[in-house]
């Protein structure tokens, strides 16, 4: 099970999986870890975040992102997210200007939705901030023909449940920067000379004395997790095509039937390959809070779980991040979250099941509105 209990590095299933992941995303270096949360934390540690250093990130993301910032010893500063569920570039500029000591921006591609990465990169360059990408939800998504994760200096992807590759838990640290890759491998647990049993890291000249300078956090991926992931990489493109075909039909159906009561987040120009493995939509603000809850209840009564991102118990609602609270108002994000709904699109369903999904959503919403 232990990735280093092998002869040569390439004999490890973890190493083989790192090779496949790096080839798929187009990155030079790859380190497999026990979780994407660990990868996010190490993005910050390996890029020079100092204790108490500010890190700008999306106000709309999963709680694991601010958790990783806190884990790395940083202080989260949040940027508004818009109705396409992505980072608002104008507010990013404002936050960078207001926080001149902030040298890290961690943009999260929540639910595979990618913001204006050209604008984000330009803002980071203007203010001298390091750009990092949380690609936990964007495996397979391409920005201007290139896999997400290349606008920043490093990125993280996930193999946790509900992701495009699923080993229950797991993550990957990806970069073209040799020193960041070496530091990540050491932090993860490549002590003494164990870096020689990696294939997708730089040579010993880059590692130097790092094993004696950096702590070993024991964050390695096991061969068992890698063995579950490896065959899934081969089917990624096939599954992406199926997801996107189903999503296009489903959203067209919803827009035709209840379009005046809801909107579908739109892909940012520049996204050349989306991955729609789940459905999000924004209910109209003409619908009351009570009606929203009745709609959720009605869907649940018909066997379809629909989550509201702005619910008081949802881990994607920034008001629930008491460990890393927002210190400035985020009215745009709060208003968006109050009507933003989320529905899983299980791969193993039949195509006809998504017609039933559309019926449940449409009929439940119309019932509530017409009461």
């Amino acid at each position: 099970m232990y990735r280093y209990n092998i002869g040569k590095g390439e004999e490890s299933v973890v190493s083989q999986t790192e090779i496949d992941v790096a080839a798929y995303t187009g990155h030079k270096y790859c380190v497999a870890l026990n979780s994407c949360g660990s990868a996010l934390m190490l993005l910050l540690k390996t890029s020079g975040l100092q204790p108490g250093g500010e890190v700008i990130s999306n106000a709309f993301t999963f709680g694991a992102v601010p958790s990783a910032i806190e884990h790395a010893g940083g202080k989260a500063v949040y940027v508004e997210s818009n109705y396409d569920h992505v980072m608002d570039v104008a507010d990013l500029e404002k936050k960078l200007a207001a926080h001149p000591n902030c040298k890290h921006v961690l943009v999260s591609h929540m639910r595979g939705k990618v913001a204006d990465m050209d604008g984000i990169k330009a803002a980071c360059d203007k203010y001298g901030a390091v750009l990092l990408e949380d690609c936990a939800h964007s495996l397979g998504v391409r920005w201007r023909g290139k896999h997400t994760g290349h606008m920043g200096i490093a990125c993280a992807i996930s193999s946790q449940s509900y992701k495009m590759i699923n080993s229950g838990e797991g993550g990957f640290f990806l970069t073209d920067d040799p020193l960041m890759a070496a530091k990540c491998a050491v932090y993860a647990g490549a002590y003494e000379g164990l870096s020689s049993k990696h294939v997708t890291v730089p040579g010993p000249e880059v590692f130097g004395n790092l094993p004696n300078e950096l702590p070993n956090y024991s964050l390695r991926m096991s061969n068992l997790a890698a063995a579950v992931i490896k065959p899934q990489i081969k089917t990624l493109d096939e599954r992406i095509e199926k997801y996107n075909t189903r999503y296009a039909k489903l959203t067209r159906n919803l827009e035709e039937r209840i379009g005046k009561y809801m909107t579908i987040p739109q892909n940012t120009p520049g996204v050349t390959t989306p991955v729609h493995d789940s459905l999000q939509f924004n209910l109209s603000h003409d619908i009351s809070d009570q009606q929203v809850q009745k709609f959720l209840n009605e869907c649940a009564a018909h066997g379809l779980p629909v989550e509201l991102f702005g619910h008081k118990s949802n881990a994607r609602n920034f008001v629930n991040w008491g460990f890393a609270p927002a210190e400035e108002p985020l009215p745009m994000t709060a208003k968006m979250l109050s009507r933003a709904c989320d529905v899983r699109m299980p791969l193993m369903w039949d195509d006809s099941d998504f017609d039933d999904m559309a019926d449940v959503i449409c009929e439940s919403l119309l019932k509530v509105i017409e009461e």
Side-chain angles (χ1 to χ4, degrees):
M1 299 300 180
Y2 183 49
R3 74 166 294 168
Y4 297 134
N5 277 350
I6 41 89
K8 297 178 181 179
E10 57 267 27
E11 295 175 3
S12 164
V13 180
V14 178
S15 290
Q16 294 170 20
T17 303
E18 288 168 335
I19 292 169
D20 290 349
V21 169
Y24 187 83
T25 65
H27 287 89
K28 188 172 183 180
Y29 304 115
C30 178
V31 180
L33 300 164
N34 63 345
S35 74
C36 188
S38 295
L40 293 172
M41 182 270 289
L42 291 180
L43 289 180
L44 296 165
K45 297 282 285 187
T46 60
S47 59
L49 179 68
Q50 297 300 306
E54 293 179 324
V55 180
I56 287 178
S57 192
N58 311 41
F60 171 52
T61 184
F62 183 55
V65 177
S67 296
I69 295 171
E70 191 275 341
H71 191 184
K75 178 179 174 58
V77 176
Y78 301 111
V79 174
E80 294 273 28
S81 297
N82 62 29
Y83 279 82
D84 291 323
H85 299 185
V86 297
M87 181 179 283
D88 183 80
V89 178
D91 194 53
L92 171 62
E93 285 249 16
K94 291 179 184 177
K95 297 295 166 59
L96 283 166
H99 297 266
N101 294 324
C102 176
K103 298 304 176 187
H104 287 79
V105 172
L106 175 56
V107 60
S108 178
H109 305 314
M110 183 63 176
R111 289 293 189 264
K113 292 174 171 53
V114 179
D116 175 7
M117 292 306 296
D118 294 337
I120 289 173
K121 180 67 165 60
C124 289
D125 290 347
K126 178 179 177 180
Y127 290 94
V130 169
L131 176 58
L132 304 164
E133 295 183 61
D134 167 23
C135 298
H137 292 208
S138 67
L139 182 60
V141 179
R142 296 184 178 273
W143 174 263
R144 302 201 184 283
K146 202 168 188 178
H147 198 282
T148 47
H150 287 276
M151 294 296 285
I153 61 171
C155 74
I157 66 172
S158 176
S159 63
Q160 195 261 352
S161 182
Y162 297 119
K163 305 302 188 298
M164 288 299 296
I165 49 176
N166 180 3
S167 58
E169 290 287 355
F172 295 86
F173 178 111
L174 293 151
T175 186
D176 293 334
D177 185 294
L179 184 57
M180 290 183 71
K183 286 181 176 181
C184 178
V186 173
Y187 276 127
Y191 57 90
E192 297 174 347
L194 289 176
S195 63
S196 65
K197 295 196 175 186
H198 285 254
V199 179
T200 53
V201 298
E205 71 283 356
V206 179
F207 280 83
N209 198 41
L210 287 176
N212 297 323
E213 297 171 356
L214 300 177
N216 169 4
Y217 293 145
S218 296
L219 304 174
R220 298 169 292 260
M221 178 178 284
S222 72
N223 278 325
L224 179 59
V228 173
I229 295 166
K230 193 175 188 305
Q232 297 178 54
I233 299 169
K234 297 177 182 178
T235 65
L236 271 170
D237 290 340
E238 175 188 343
R239 288 183 284 123
I240 289 168
E241 182 177 359
K242 177 176 284 190
Y243 274 127
N244 288 345
T245 298
R246 288 172 165 177
Y247 178 86
K249 181 181 178 183
L250 175 61
T251 53
R252 187 167 55 249
N253 192 342
L254 294 176
E255 287 176 327
E256 287 174 355
R257 296 168 65 182
I258 55 172
K260 64 180 179 179
Y261 301 117
M262 48 84 80
T263 59
I264 305 289
Q266 298 300 299
N267 290 323
T268 305
V271 173
T272 47
T273 304
V275 176
H276 294 300
D277 59 337
S278 60
L279 168 70
Q280 290 75 45
F281 54 90
N282 305 306
L283 295 174
S284 168
H285 286 286
D286 292 334
I287 299 171
S288 70
D289 291 347
Q290 293 84 355
Q291 287 176 312
V292 170
Q293 188 57 55
K294 286 182 178 180
F295 164 69
L296 301 178
N297 294 343
E298 189 69 24
C299 289
H302 288 83
L304 181 66
V306 177
E307 291 193 12
L308 182 71
F309 283 130
H311 194 275
K312 61 183 179 181
S313 65
N314 197 306
R316 298 145 199 89
N317 186 348
F318 67 87
V319 302
N320 295 320
W321 303 337
F323 53 87
E327 296 186 351
E328 302 172 54
L330 295 160
M332 180 194 301
T333 307
K335 188 174 182 180
M336 178 272 287
L337 291 175
S338 73
R339 294 296 182 273
C341 296
D342 183 40
V343 189
R344 303 288 183 185
M345 294 179 59
L347 179 69
M348 303 311 293
W349 279 19
D350 294 330
D351 289 348
S352 60
D353 292 330
F354 293 94
D355 295 331
D356 294 336
M357 176 185 284
D359 287 343
V360 170
I361 293 172
C362 293
E363 291 170 14
S364 297
L365 184 59
L366 290 173
K367 178 180 178 181
V368 168
I369 289 171
E370 292 168 0
E371 282 182 347

